[in-house]
């Protein structure tokens, strides 16, 4: 197994053990022949190229020259390796801070090594759960590794998880070619956002690092939340224990300064996801003949798929709130485009100052007033 970024087994998380655990526990993919698998990979690559053109034409964002990040069609273990590399890069400042807080005495070092392995196993359990559910992902902060290339200017890569796409298209009984293009439209929108708006990645990373820098919580508290999430996947929560209200990973690390930062991050993520959904729905009818059927069946699957374990995990990771915020983001984009057109909406990408606030996501007219209309003298 390839080592994830050097001394991956040291510190607060044994990253290699996380990859090994996830790979061992993840569900097998759908049954496809080697020829079928090659055909799926080739088609996803073709769809990604055509989706890039459709998205660029619909949004008026970017040029072929700015689209410089790689596309990787991966299996489930490949998705895990890519995400562990990204997590390790993004969380390094926080984990270094936690390591310093723990101290360097022999006893603490030994405890840290044991804790790193425990956390590696538990992170692997979470990743094994998620690895069968993600269809695609733009990895904004992806570092290049020997097996996983990334963009030249600060990282970035687009992942399409082929076995999951095949699994869902079979489960929904939809036209495979249409479904594959529909998925790539959403993910290509994310790649276009970051490649066409050069400052966006650094701005988002700065906000995340500032959020993490404000974290002042005992390492065991964070690890306990990871443990709770992992236990929920295997039915390990003690009998009669109360629900998860107020116990998400995000909620436990919020100082007043972090709450303000989290509001800005929420607004940006809502914008990015809402914009991708809006573009997917806008382009879809033109190029995906069965888009209405796909959308209806996909929404029904999402509604019915909220099992107890799914709900517990989403609560612990704070994802239930994010889903609501993404719907708000799509409504924001639609309202702004209806009022001022696509070019008027694209002012959102001018600078960090033109991004919507969390309040403006819910009140698009306020953003339009602030960005488009000078106040009367």
């Amino acid at each position: 197994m390839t080592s994830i970024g050097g001394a991956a087994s040291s510190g607060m998380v044994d990253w290699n053990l996380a990859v090994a655990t996830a790979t061992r526990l993840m569900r097998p993919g759908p049954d496809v022949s080697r020829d079928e698998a090659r055909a799926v990979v080739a088609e996803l690559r073709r769809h990604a190229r055509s989706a890039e053109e459709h998205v660029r034409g619909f949004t008026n964002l970017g040029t072929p020259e700015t689209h410089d990040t790689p596309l990787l069609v991966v299996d489930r273990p490949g998705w895990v390796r890519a995400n562990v590399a990204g997590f390790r890069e993004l969380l390094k400042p926080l984990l270094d801070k936690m390591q310093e807080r723990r101290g360097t005495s022999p006893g603490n070092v030994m405890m840290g090594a044991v804790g790193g392995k425990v956390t590696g196993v538990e992170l692997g359990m979470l990743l094994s759960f998620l690895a069968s559910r993600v269809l695609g992902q733009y990895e904004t902060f992806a570092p290049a590794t020997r097996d996983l290339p990334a963009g030249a200017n600060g990282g970035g890569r687009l992942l399409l998880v082929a076995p999951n796409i095949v699994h869902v298209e079979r489960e929904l009984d939809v036209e495979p070619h249409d479904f594959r293009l529909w998925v790539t439209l959403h993910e290509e929108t994310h790649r276009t956002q970051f490649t066409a708006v050069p400052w966006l990645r650094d701005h988002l990373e700065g906000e995340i690092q500032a959020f993490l820098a404000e974290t002042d919580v005992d390492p065991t508290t964070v690890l306990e939340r990871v443990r709770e999430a992992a236990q929920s996947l295997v039915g390990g929560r003690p009998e009669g224990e109360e629900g998860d209200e107020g116990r998400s990973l995000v909620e436990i690390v919020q100082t007043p300064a972090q709450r303000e930062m989290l509001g800005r991050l929420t607004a940006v993520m809502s914008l990015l996801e809402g914009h991708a959904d809006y573009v997917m729905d806008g382009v879809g009818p033109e190029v995906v003949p069965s888009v209405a059927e796909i959308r209806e069946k996909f929404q029904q699957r999402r509604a019915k798929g909220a099992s107890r374990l799914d709900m517990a995990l989403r609560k612990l990771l704070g994802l239930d709130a994010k889903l609501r915020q993404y719907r708000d983001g799509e409504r924001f984009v639609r309202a702004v485009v209806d009022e001022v057109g696509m070019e008027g909406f694209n002012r959102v990408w001018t600078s960090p100052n033109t991004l919507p606030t969390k309040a403006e996501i819910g009140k698009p007219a306020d953003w339009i007033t602030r960005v488009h209309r000078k106040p009367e003298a």
Side-chain angles (χ1 to χ4, degrees), residues 219-333:
T220 58
T221 306
V222 176
L223 303 185
E224 282 171 5
R225 295 300 180 267
V226 175
R227 185 170 298 112
E228 288 173 358
Q231 287 175 342
S232 75
L233 304 184
V234 294
R237 185 169 296 283
E239 185 73 23
E241 185 168 326
E242 295 300 318
D244 301 312
E245 289 77 3
R247 292 174 64 82
S248 77
L249 286 170
V250 170
E251 289 165 332
I252 65 168
V253 294
Q254 286 187 50
T255 66
Q258 281 182 306
R259 282 192 287 273
E260 183 178 343
M261 295 173 195
L262 187 62
R264 294 197 298 267
L265 281 168
T266 296
V268 174
M269 299 310 296
S270 297
L271 171 69
L272 298 178
E273 288 296 333
H275 183 236
D277 277 355
Y278 179 82
V279 172
M280 182 170 61
D281 287 346
V283 175
E286 295 289 332
V287 299
V288 182
S290 60
V291 65
E293 177 191 4
I294 290 172
R295 168 63 83 176
E296 180 181 1
K297 288 185 174 181
F298 193 79
Q299 296 290 8
Q300 290 174 351
R301 176 183 181 272
R302 177 179 288 173
K304 290 189 297 186
S307 69
R308 181 179 178 278
L309 292 182
D310 281 342
M311 288 188 291
L313 180 65
R314 287 206 301 264
K315 183 66 183 180
L316 283 162
L317 299 181
L319 298 180
D320 53 344
K322 289 187 177 66
L323 291 174
R324 293 192 298 271
Q325 292 151 4
Y326 294 164
R327 291 193 293 269
D328 291 342
E330 195 275 338
R331 286 193 289 267
F332 170 85
V333 176

Side-chain angles (χ1 to χ4, degrees), residues 182-201:
W182 186 73
V183 170
T184 58
L185 284 171
H186 183 99
E187 304 308 332
E188 278 289 345
T189 301
H190 287 315
R191 180 155 67 161
T192 297
Q193 291 163 347
F194 283 94
T195 55
V197 185
W199 55 264
L200 184 58
R201 179 193 180 276

Side-chain angles (χ1 to χ4, degrees), residues 30-238:
D31 186 19
V32 295
S33 69
R34 181 167 298 182
D35 288 343
E36 287 176 307
R38 289 197 185 108
V40 170
V41 170
E43 184 173 26
L44 287 173
R45 292 188 178 280
R46 289 195 303 271
H47 281 329
R49 288 192 293 270
S50 64
E52 174 192 339
E53 296 177 5
H54 293 312
V55 170
R56 193 166 60 243
F58 185 79
T59 63
N60 298 323
L61 288 176
T63 66
E65 289 73 28
T66 63
H67 226 66
D68 64 347
T69 55
L71 163 71
L72 305 179
V73 182
V74 298
D75 57 11
R76 290 171 180 174
W79 178 86
V80 168
R81 288 193 297 273
N83 274 267
V84 164
F87 288 158
R88 188 172 189 269
E89 182 79 7
L90 191 62
L91 296 177
K92 186 177 186 301
L94 173 63
L95 296 178
D96 286 348
K97 179 179 178 179
M98 294 168 69
Q99 185 72 44
E100 289 175 8
R101 181 167 179 170
R102 171 165 278 175
T104 58
S105 68
N108 284 337
V109 169
M110 182 174 294
M111 287 293 293
V114 173
K117 291 187 179 301
V118 172
T119 308
V121 169
E122 290 167 346
L123 177 60
M125 292 170 67
L126 290 175
L127 289 170
S128 73
F129 178 81
L130 295 171
S132 63
R133 287 159 171 76
V134 176
L135 302 182
Q137 173 186 3
Y138 184 74
E139 273 203 296
T140 312
F141 308 109
T145 68
R146 187 178 69 184
D147 301 323
L148 295 164
N153 298 318
R157 55 180 166 240
L158 178 62
L159 306 178
L160 296 174
V161 190
N164 295 351
I165 293 172
V166 171
H167 171 78
V168 173
E169 73 192 23
R170 289 179 179 178
E171 181 183 336
L172 298 182
D173 190 25
V174 293
E175 211 289 316
H177 306 292
D178 286 2
F179 184 74
R180 294 166 194 175
L181 178 55
W182 186 73
V183 170
T184 58
L185 284 171
H186 183 99
E187 304 308 332
E188 278 289 345
T189 301
H190 287 315
R191 180 155 67 161
T192 297
Q193 291 163 347
F194 283 94
T195 55
V197 185
W199 55 264
L200 184 58
R201 179 193 180 276
D202 288 343
H203 171 71
L204 189 59
E205 182 177 25
E207 292 280 55
I208 292 172
Q209 291 301 342
F211 179 86
L212 294 177
E214 282 289 320
T215 298
D216 187 20
V217 63
D218 187 84
T220 58
T221 306
V222 176
L223 303 185
E224 282 171 5
R225 295 300 180 267
V226 175
R227 185 170 298 112
E228 288 173 358
Q231 287 175 342
S232 75
L233 304 184
V234 294
R237 185 169 296 283

Side-chain angles (χ1 to χ4, degrees), residues 11-40:
M12 301 295 295
V13 182
D14 187 329
W15 298 104
N16 282 341
L17 186 56
V19 172
T21 301
T23 303
R24 185 175 69 252
L25 295 180
M26 70 180 55
R27 300 174 182 176
D31 186 19
V32 295
S33 69
R34 181 167 298 182
D35 288 343
E36 287 176 307
R38 289 197 185 108
V40 170

